[in-house]
Amino acid sequence: MPRLILIFLISLSLSGVAQAQSVKRLLKTADKYYEHGFYYEAAINYKKAADITPDDLSITYKIGLAYLKSRYKHRAMPFLEEVYENTQDSTSTLVFHLGLAYQYNHQFEKALEYFHYYRKNAENTYTVDRHIRQCNIGIEYVNNPKNVEIRNLKKLNSDNQDYAPLITSDGKSLIFTSRREGSTGGKKAYDDNYYEDIYIVRRNKGDWLIPEKISTNINTHYHECGAAISPDGKTLFIYVDEGDGDIYFSTYQNKEWSVPLPVSQYVNSPYRELSVSVNQAGDELYFSSNRPGGFGGFDLYVSRKDRRGEWGPPENLGPKINTEADEDAPFIHPSGKSLFFSSKGHMGMGGYDIFQSRKYQGKWSTPINMGYPINTAQDDIYFVTSADNALGYYATAREDGMGGNDLYVINMKPKKAAPKPVAAAPVKNTTYFIGKVTDAGSGNPVAAELILSDNRKNIIIDRQYSDPSTGEFKISIPEGENFGLIVEAEGYLFYSTNFGADQLKGRKEIKRAIQLDKAVVGSVTILKNIFFDTGKASIKQESISELDRVHELLKANPNLKIQINGHTDNVGEADYNQKLSEQRAKAVASYLLQYGTTEAQVVAKGFGETRPLVSNDDEFGGREINRRTEIEILSVHEKIEEKKKGLLPTLTF
């Protein structure tokens, strides 16, 4: 063999070995990033490896998976599509992952195709059912956007991560956290990004100036994140990444911020405390923590100042606010009547969505999703608003971003453009549901929350309250096909009713007196929004909102045990009806168990046609009423000693 050819072949061999070693190093680095939760950084290194070996679909798949878990979830789609189009593995979790990618790109209809296909062979449908609901909600929200304008604060953002905006009460200063180049110490953390620093920027004549590091007393060589600013702008609360993460505070005196000190032994714990908000009076501190005793993940708590000015023992905000998943970034509005926060547990479009709860009679209401385009299928978090509600600020990762999470401003009250001439749209009918809520035993008025849901879309569309002195209420029901209404008050078993298209058509008002039964052993309520196909025990999608309410009831009262009662009419053989009622009751119980209810809390029993409420002689005034699902309270076990110590809440229904 000629010498030149031999040298050429040897060089090719060495090049191949070098490439293989390079790919191996890149994959090792990427796997390490992925293992430690730095998914974007993992995706970048997987992509470098894929550039060398573009035909390796296993690496392409890893790129997609890393993006799905990163702050750039929508970027996973082309990589997962490539794998799907070039493999026979169409029945595996690849189908589910591709559904996620379409969801995060707001291609909800296409995502639903893949989720439904995956669901056919899934052993546990909890996760895929949740994403199906998110896609249905996404379709509804995108088709009915809120009238807001959202703009990237490009002058403040960098090519790295910028987040956690804090606006002063006068609206003239914005404090935020950034991992941009030039951080204090100039060093990078394990994920190859700079350590967090806190910046402040001031507004002059309506325009933001150049951001500056807030203070050398606050920023160190490690992580500091702005958590809240007091109403007077003189106390800054900071998340400090020491131990598992605690909250510190710094005060502004003599034109300088003091060295941060820990907030309180009650607020800080051996676990993580992430975000903080302080009310206008400065005597309530809302924060998120993953300490034990909550409902799961990070929960929201409130700590109040005692007579000595110290923050006292925290109180969990309860099951209306907190879920089994994460709640974070609380913001208490200056009015004290609205609480904004981000949640992965309350139903939204995907990831963190921003929700609003209102305070009434000292209690927080059922949270309402703030809708699209404020919320997206990405993580939307750290929402704060100006005192006049004109502007909101938050952080999210979008395609028009400059890098990582960016800061955005929301014009909550944009000027309405002149309407274009269009053909007159048909006037939609609105029906008002009017009545009074009273105690079934005494007849006294009850202050209750009324929660209206669109069962077809599985979203909460309104919530109102009955007058505490009279029990009177009025809630509007839009034109539609299937609405469910829950009426609930503390200490009572909730009341459920349903409004169909036939009931609402052409009616201006529906009047009804609602009597709530005390939540005691033996209390029974009919679940008017649980639906089954004729002759079947499979639960229809329109039942989900009501089932979730039953789950919340059990979650809020872990010492409560209920029985699901199934009933039928008298059409058909008695044995068949008995079996069908048992199957339907078990289907409801199984749903609750699948979604986290403990087996000690729920049992199922079918009664067939043996317990009719009315005569079965006709359909709508008889058989329809007798076909029903109920919950019955079997027992309430509470330890009196613990309740006196405040370790167990009173029953909340």
Side-chain angles (χ1 to χ4, degrees):
M1 182 180 295
R3 179 183 178 86
L4 288 177
I5 295 176
L6 180 62
I7 292 173
F8 176 70
L9 292 175
I10 292 172
S11 66
L12 280 179
S13 175
L14 291 174
S15 175
V17 171
Q19 281 192 338
Q21 290 176 342
S22 178
V23 169
K24 189 175 181 180
R25 283 195 301 270
L26 287 167
L27 291 177
K28 185 177 180 180
T29 300
D31 288 343
K32 202 169 183 180
Y33 277 134
Y34 193 96
E35 180 185 344
H36 287 82
F38 301 121
Y39 301 113
Y40 174 70
E41 292 73 18
I44 296 301
N45 282 273
Y46 285 135
K47 285 177 69 177
K48 290 178 181 178
D51 289 340
I52 301 172
T53 56
D55 296 328
D56 191 334
L57 289 179
S58 67
I59 299 177
T60 307
Y61 196 7
K62 287 185 174 183
I63 298 171
L65 293 180
Y67 272 132
L68 279 181
K69 289 180 173 286
S70 77
R71 55 187 177 271
Y72 293 112
K73 294 176 173 59
H74 55 290
R75 294 186 181 178
M77 189 171 71
F79 301 100
L80 296 177
E81 284 180 328
E82 181 181 346
V83 176
Y84 185 77
E85 291 167 0
N86 292 280
T87 182
Q88 300 298 315
D89 187 18
S90 61
T91 59
S92 72
T93 53
L94 170 60
V95 175
F96 177 70
H97 291 141
L98 193 53
L100 290 178
Y102 287 125
Q103 177 184 351
Y104 295 135
N105 279 275
H106 289 188
Q107 296 185 29
F108 298 115
E109 289 88 353
K110 201 164 185 177
L112 285 171
E113 294 178 17
Y114 286 87
F115 287 145
H116 284 300
Y117 183 84
Y118 171 79
R119 191 183 190 279
K120 294 177 182 178
N121 300 307
E123 292 184 8
N124 188 320
T125 63
Y126 171 82
T127 300
V128 68
D129 283 345
R130 183 170 182 82
H131 284 285
I132 288 171
R133 291 180 64 188
Q134 289 174 344
C135 287
N136 287 325
I137 288 172
I139 292 169
E140 173 67 16
Y141 286 169
V142 170
N143 288 338
N144 297 278
K146 300 292 184 182
N147 182 33
V148 297
E149 294 175 350
I150 301 176
R151 180 170 53 88
N152 186 298
L153 289 172
K154 292 186 176 181
K155 191 171 183 179
L156 309 187
N157 291 313
S158 68
D159 59 0
N160 211 302
Q161 297 185 60
D162 304 280
Y163 45 94
L166 308 172
I167 190 74
T168 54
S169 57
D170 61 7
K172 294 181 179 180
S173 295
L174 186 74
I175 297 169
F176 66 96
T177 301
S178 179
R179 299 190 68 179
R180 64 187 62 192
E181 186 176 1
S183 66
T184 303
K187 295 181 180 180
K188 293 185 177 182
Y190 177 82
D191 60 357
D192 202 34
N193 290 299
Y194 292 97
Y195 283 95
E196 292 174 327
D197 269 357
I198 300 174
Y199 287 76
I200 186 169
V201 59
R202 293 173 175 82
R203 192 197 299 267
N204 182 35
K205 296 181 180 179
D207 192 22
W208 293 110
L209 303 178
I210 303 300
E212 302 173 347
K213 293 178 187 176
I214 193 165
S215 171
T216 55
N217 285 338
I218 291 176
N219 292 324
T220 70
H221 291 185
Y222 299 99
H223 290 295
E224 293 83 28
C225 177
I229 187 73
S230 63
D232 62 7
K234 294 182 178 180
T235 302
L236 177 66
F237 294 86
I238 305 160
Y239 168 79
V240 177
D241 192 29
E242 288 188 6
D244 281 326
D246 284 335
I247 302 299
Y248 282 60
F249 72 98
S250 172
T251 56
Y252 191 69
Q253 298 175 343
N254 300 321
K255 298 184 179 181
E256 180 58 279
W257 291 97
S258 66
V259 175
L261 297 172
V263 169
S264 162
Q265 61 176 338
Y266 292 115
V267 174
N268 291 326
S269 73
Y271 299 86
R272 296 185 75 188
E273 287 70 45
L274 289 179
S275 303
V276 173
S277 182
V278 182
N279 69 340
Q280 187 72 16
D283 57 6
E284 289 184 343
L285 186 147
Y286 295 80
F287 67 97
S288 62
S289 176
N290 65 345
R291 64 189 63 196
F295 292 96
F298 282 88
D299 275 11
L300 301 186
Y301 294 81
V302 61
S303 174
R304 296 178 175 85
K305 276 188 177 180
D306 59 24
R307 294 179 179 178
R308 298 173 296 174
E310 301 291 335
W311 295 111
E315 172 189 332
N316 188 293
L317 293 191
K320 275 192 181 291
I321 301 296
N322 294 313
T323 68
E324 294 89 345
D326 291 333
E327 279 69 46
D328 195 13
F331 174 72
I332 183 72
H333 189 269
S335 68
K337 295 180 180 179
S338 289
L339 177 70
F340 300 90
F341 64 96
S342 290
S343 174
K344 289 183 177 179
H346 291 286
M347 194 51 61
M349 298 172 67
Y352 275 115
D353 269 18
I354 301 167
F355 291 80
Q356 180 184 14
S357 176
R358 298 185 185 277
K359 183 177 279 190
Y360 183 78
Q361 297 285 306
K363 299 184 182 300
W364 291 109
S365 69
T366 300
I368 298 292
N369 191 298
M370 293 190 69
Y372 177 84
I374 296 174
N375 286 320
T376 66
Q378 303 291 327
D379 286 331
D380 304 291
I381 194 168
Y382 301 119
F383 177 85
V384 297
T385 182
S386 57
D388 61 0
N389 293 318
L391 299 175
Y393 300 86
Y394 73 128
T396 187
R398 301 194 181 197
E399 276 303 313
D400 66 343
M402 299 176 65
N405 290 315
D406 273 11
L407 304 175
Y408 286 78
V409 60
I410 308 168
N411 184 353
M412 308 292 284
K413 302 175 181 179
K415 294 181 179 178
K416 293 183 179 180
K420 297 179 181 179
V422 294
V427 178
K428 291 189 175 182
N429 180 62
T430 297
T431 304
Y432 290 98
F433 183 47
I434 302 170
K436 182 183 291 188
V437 183
T438 59
D439 182 294
S442 67
N444 293 330
V446 175
E449 182 179 14
L450 294 89
I451 306 162
L452 183 67
S453 298
D454 187 320
N455 288 331
R456 187 175 60 84
K457 299 170 183 175
N458 284 313
I459 58 173
I460 296 173
I461 58 175
D462 195 10
R463 38 142 166 68
Q464 298 291 336
Y465 293 89
S466 60
D467 188 295
S469 59
T470 65
E472 294 176 349
F473 65 85
K474 181 179 182 180
I475 189 167
S476 61
I477 306 172
E479 185 177 309
E481 298 178 3
N482 189 337
F483 295 97
L485 183 73
I486 295 291
V487 183
E488 59 184 24
E490 187 170 343
Y492 292 87
L493 195 56
F494 69 80
Y495 169 90
S496 164
T497 192
N498 176 264
F499 301 98
D502 292 340
Q503 274 182 286
L504 301 173
K505 188 175 182 180
R507 298 187 66 176
K508 294 298 183 184
E509 290 184 351
I510 297 175
K511 295 184 178 181
R512 189 176 302 171
I514 296 175
Q515 296 180 328
L516 296 183
D517 291 309
K518 291 283 189 182
V520 295
V521 174
S523 296
V524 177
T525 192
I526 300 173
L527 304 175
K528 294 286 187 66
N529 297 286
I530 303 296
F531 307 100
F532 301 93
D533 287 321
T534 302
K536 296 182 180 179
S538 52
I539 299 172
K540 299 180 75 170
Q541 287 290 313
E542 291 88 339
S543 311
I544 289 177
S545 293
E546 187 119 320
L547 287 167
D548 285 351
R549 182 63 200 99
V550 179
H551 171 58
E552 288 177 9
L553 166 72
L554 296 170
K555 180 182 69 173
N557 302 281
N559 302 299
L560 179 69
K561 184 174 183 178
I562 66 169
Q563 180 170 281
I564 308 297
N565 297 331
H567 301 271
T568 68
D569 56 29
N570 68 347
V571 175
E573 297 293 329
D575 289 345
Y576 173 82
N577 288 334
Q578 177 62 35
K579 185 177 180 180
L580 181 62
S581 69
E582 291 172 357
Q583 290 173 337
R584 288 179 169 179
K586 287 178 181 177
V588 172
S590 296
Y591 179 96
L592 297 172
L593 292 171
Q594 186 178 0
Y595 278 67
T597 299
T598 65
E599 292 185 0
Q601 282 190 282
V602 60
V603 295
K605 190 171 182 178
F607 294 92
E609 60 188 63
T610 63
R611 293 188 177 183
L613 294 177
V614 294
S615 171
N616 281 300
D617 289 344
D618 63 82
E619 171 61 18
F620 298 108
R623 291 188 292 275
E624 183 185 44
I625 295 172
N626 291 330
R627 296 190 301 269
R628 66 194 188 278
T629 304
E630 303 169 333
I631 59 172
E632 178 180 351
I633 297 180
L634 295 183
S635 62
V636 181
H637 299 294
E638 288 191 277
K639 297 180 181 179
I640 302 301
E641 305 81 13
E642 291 186 352
K643 187 176 176 183
K644 286 180 179 178
K645 294 177 184 176
L647 299 178
L648 288 175
T650 54
L651 286 179
T652 304
F653 295 90

